[in-house]
Amino acid sequence: MRSALLALALGLAALGPASAQAFSPNAEPNAEPDAAARFATCLRELRALAEGRGVPPALAEAQLSGLGPDPAVLAAANRQAEFVRPIWEYIEATVTDARVETGRAKLAEWAPTLDTIERTYGVDRHILVAIWGVESTYGAVLEDPGIVRPVVRSLATLACGDAKRGAYWRDELVAALGILAKGDVSPERMTGSWAGAMSHTQFMPMTFRDHAVDFDGDGRRDIWGSIPDALASTASCLRTSGWRPGEGWGFEVSLPDGFDYRLADETTERPLSEWLERGLKPADGRPVGDPEARAALALPAGAGGPAFLLRPNFRVILRYNTALSYALTVAHLSDRLRGQGGFARDWPRDKRPLSQDEIRDLQTKLSARGHEAGGVDGKMGPKTRAAIRAFQEAAGLTPDGFADADLLTRLAANP
């Protein structure tokens, strides 16, 4: 399914700040006359599309007629971070003592509701509250006019201005108008990120359409104003995506000397009993549970950082948002909320991450050597890490799939 948090998947910057004027639905378009005319034509086409899919004409006209584009939205969509943030910086900036303390207070405050949600959907409350904390700081950003902006305007801007993903944005816009048509939220309250991700846990409109629930029984699926609706909708999404009740996301492990790092491909699942036989041990010394349960091994920062056995539920978090750094942050925050400590092994803080241009260069060089990296997109995904491992093994290096500036230099020096 599509990520509920496309905005984060597009760069982990869904809620970037901008001026209140830039986000005002009545702001004058910052465009040349031809561009303004093209935008007006696009809006007419969007109105016809929405009406053809069942949106009431009066609603489509009221929401789209005379709407001006938001230049800050396209700027955010086109922005490419010069350097990829190290995973440890992202985790540590998000899983703060304050966020853990507030999260534990939310667990206590909403305990009866979370009891019912767990019975209904089987999704761990600590994961739900962790997602809430990561996505909106437990709703704190939703009232900040310098962060949130009108969803319809953002999606219309993207539908008309982002040629690569125009069809996707049009579908999301129609879904947003459908939400208004059903009366789940007022137009003034339908605010979200620059990419249209909405409410406490940042649902895209199509995810709302498919998974939002009226959990408080007031007749509306109000994920903006109702905490029960927001958390239960998130649980509904995760359960539909394959969440396994009663199972955790995984855990940190220590690796034995001489470990075969080729096994840490983050995708191949093996029984926990097999991992134990290979010398892996839970970092906190706790029992692993069912020895026949399956898990994959991941080294997000290579042999110099923590190692994790990932259970199938971790893949469900990745379906919510496809970034490994995001999923591990949610997982770690959930552990902290339940009273566990930090990571047993520190991160390789002396390593400089590659910029997106450097990752593209890396992918190009790996592919030229016959190590297929899954395309040249500047994203460090499983296929690129597999190609890195193949090169490392051929070069007599530790095949841990981690690339830093030194590895790129080695590739460039030996074409």
Side-chain angles (χ1 to χ4, degrees), residues 220-254:
R220 297 183 300 127
R221 299 182 295 172
D222 180 11
I223 62 174
W224 293 265
S226 168
I227 302 302
D229 285 6
L231 295 180
S233 295
T234 306
S236 169
C237 178
L238 293 174
R239 184 60 188 272
T240 302
S241 298
W243 186 271
R244 300 185 181 189
E247 296 184 9
W249 67 266
F251 47 89
E252 185 183 355
V253 293
S254 61

Side-chain angles (χ1 to χ4, degrees), residues 255 259-270 275 296-303 308 310 324 362-363 365-367 369-374 380-404 407 410-411:
L255 306 179
F259 180 74
D260 183 357
Y261 285 95
R262 294 174 299 178
L263 300 175
D265 64 2
E266 71 195 71
T267 57
T268 303
E269 293 184 343
R270 294 177 171 84
W275 289 119
L297 181 63
L299 303 174
F308 303 93
L310 306 177
L324 180 63
L362 176 80
Q363 292 168 327
K365 287 179 167 58
L366 288 169
S367 297
R369 288 173 173 266
H371 306 307
E372 179 52 50
M380 194 69 75
K383 291 183 179 179
T384 297
R385 286 190 284 269
I388 293 169
R389 283 192 297 274
F391 168 74
Q392 289 170 324
E393 184 176 10
L397 305 173
T398 301
D400 61 3
F402 182 69
D404 58 7
L407 185 72
R410 180 184 286 265
L411 264 171

Side-chain angles (χ1 to χ4, degrees), residues 69-332:
D70 185 342
V73 167
L74 280 181
N78 294 325
R79 185 185 303 123
Q80 297 292 338
E82 182 180 1
F83 289 98
V84 176
R85 194 178 192 184
I87 186 171
W88 53 89
E89 288 187 7
Y90 180 70
I91 292 173
E92 290 166 359
T94 306
V95 187
T96 62
D97 289 343
R99 192 160 284 167
V100 172
E101 182 180 357
T102 302
R104 290 174 179 168
K106 295 297 183 183
L107 283 165
E109 178 183 0
W110 293 99
T113 297
L114 290 166
D115 287 341
T116 307
I117 291 174
E118 280 189 331
R119 287 195 301 270
T120 303
Y121 298 103
V123 178
D124 175 20
R125 68 184 64 200
H126 301 93
I127 291 289
L128 294 176
V129 174
I131 290 174
W132 187 16
V134 171
E135 294 302 344
S136 67
T137 317
Y138 310 108
V141 303
L142 302 186
E143 305 304 325
D144 187 339
I147 294 179
V148 297
R149 74 283 312 274
V151 167
V152 169
R153 186 186 182 205
S154 294
L155 292 175
T157 299
L158 291 165
C160 295
D162 183 356
K164 291 182 179 179
R165 295 183 294 272
Y168 172 79
W169 298 120
R170 289 192 292 272
D171 289 343
E172 291 289 359
L173 175 61
V174 172
L177 294 172
I179 295 170
L180 294 175
K182 290 182 178 297
D184 287 309
V185 65
S186 68
E188 297 75 24
R189 184 60 171 163
M190 184 186 269
T191 57
S193 73
W194 64 263
M198 310 178 301
S199 88
H200 292 266
T201 55
Q202 294 288 276
F203 269 25
M204 293 300 290
M206 287 194 291
T207 303
F208 179 101
R209 179 195 64 195
D210 296 338
H211 300 290
V213 298
D214 172 22
F215 203 72
D216 61 13
D218 69 351
R220 297 183 300 127
R221 299 182 295 172
D222 180 11
I223 62 174
W224 293 265
S226 168
I227 302 302
D229 285 6
L231 295 180
S233 295
T234 306
S236 169
C237 178
L238 293 174
R239 184 60 188 272
T240 302
S241 298
W243 186 271
R244 300 185 181 189
E247 296 184 9
W249 67 266
F251 47 89
E252 185 183 355
V253 293
S254 61
L255 306 179
D257 293 338
F259 180 74
D260 183 357
Y261 285 95
R262 294 174 299 178
L263 300 175
D265 64 2
E266 71 195 71
T267 57
T268 303
E269 293 184 343
R270 294 177 171 84
L272 292 176
S273 58
E274 181 177 335
W275 289 119
L276 295 177
E277 290 170 1
R278 292 180 179 273
L280 277 67
K281 298 179 180 179
D284 61 6
R286 299 185 184 189
V288 300
D290 180 5
E292 297 310 308
R294 302 179 72 84
L297 181 63
L299 303 174
F308 303 93
L309 281 178
L310 306 177
R311 301 292 308 281
N313 279 343
F314 191 85
R315 292 200 306 272
V316 176
I317 303 174
L318 281 171
R319 293 188 186 106
Y320 197 85
N321 180 277
T322 58
L324 180 63
S325 56
Y326 170 87
L328 190 58
T329 297
V330 167
H332 184 51

Side-chain angles (χ1 to χ4, degrees), residues 24-53:
S24 168
N26 298 315
E28 289 297 322
N30 182 20
E32 297 297 326
D34 288 349
R38 287 196 298 272
F39 189 78
T41 298
C42 179
L43 288 180
R44 289 193 292 271
E45 294 171 349
L46 291 174
R47 284 177 55 192
L49 174 67
E51 292 170 13
R53 295 187 185 179

